[in-house]
Structures are given as C-alpha cells and as structure tokens.
Amino acid sequence: MKNILIILTLAYSLVGIAQYEILHINSAWNVKHNLDLKGIKYAKVKYLLLEEQTLSFKQQIKSVPTIVVLQNGKPKGQWSGGIALKLTVTKEDIEDHIEKLMAQQRLLYKK
C-alpha cells in the first residue's frame, strides 16, 4: 500500500509540473548579440536562427534577437531587441520570470 501511495504521489507531481522552454531566436548576421543562457534554471533552451524557420514563424518575429518563454508550449513571456538589435533582459530576469510562473502554477494546484 505504501508503494502505491508513493507511485501515485510521484505521478501527480510529474503531471503537475509545468514544462518550460526558452526559444532564443536571432539572425546569423546578429549572433554577436546572443544572450548566453547556458546553465539557466528551470527550462530547456533552444537557439534558433530566423533564416532556418518557416515563413509563418518568421512573420511573427518583429525584431531580433527575440526570447520567448513557453510553458507547456504556450507563450508566457517575450523580450525583443528592438531597434538596437540587442537584448536588455538578463538571464536572471528570465529565471525570475519563470519562478513567478512556477509560483502561480503551485497556487493553482493548491486550490
């Protein structure tokens, strides 16, 4: 019985954990302005070159570099370089944003 409770608890916690992914989108000519997200907590990072994406994806990006935080595949935060073509957000800012999303998620599961 104890083992069943442990398995159910683990299964519930795995289902309850939101999955976070960070898309770092930039153009090949602007890679010098990539943000180093190595070692970022709580999320998997994907670096994408805009030139290698589909037309519909390219049309959604208004400026490079752009960082998008996805929670279970849905956008939950975005930062763009704007006219300067350089991001002002830091790795710590992104981690803080994800921590806030995680706190909101925990509140939902407590209700």
Side-chain angles (χ1 to χ4, degrees):
M1 183 67 173
K2 183 179 176 182
N3 288 341
I4 292 173
L5 288 175
I6 291 172
I7 291 170
L8 289 175
T9 303
L10 285 172
Y12 176 76
S13 65
L14 289 175
V15 169
I17 296 174
Q19 297 297 316
Y20 297 95
E21 187 172 39
I22 299 170
L23 303 181
H24 185 300
I25 305 141
N26 205 349
S27 288
W29 54 266
N30 195 39
V31 292
K32 66 181 177 187
H33 290 132
N34 275 357
L35 184 62
D36 182 11
L37 298 174
K38 185 177 182 180
I40 197 162
K41 296 185 256 179
Y42 317 118
K44 178 172 48 171
V45 179
K46 287 186 179 178
Y47 287 89
L48 307 174
L49 286 176
L50 190 61
E51 297 87 350
E52 296 174 355
Q53 305 311 309
T54 64
L55 181 60
S56 62
F57 186 91
K58 290 178 188 180
Q59 291 172 337
Q60 295 177 44
I61 304 301
K62 303 301 179 203
S63 173
V64 290
T66 294
I67 291 181
V68 180
V69 174
L70 301 174
Q71 179 182 8
N72 297 324
K74 297 178 183 170
K76 294 293 183 175
Q78 180 172 321
W79 298 267
S80 295
I83 197 161
L85 301 176
K86 186 176 181 180
L87 293 162
T88 57
V89 68
T90 65
K91 180 166 87 171
E92 291 76 21
D93 294 334
I94 297 168
E95 285 178 342
D96 289 345
H97 180 74
I98 294 172
E99 286 173 358
K100 288 177 187 172
L101 292 172
M102 292 169 71
Q104 290 172 355
Q105 194 71 24
R106 282 191 295 271
L107 286 175
L108 289 174
Y109 283 108
K110 285 186 178 180
K111 292 181 179 183

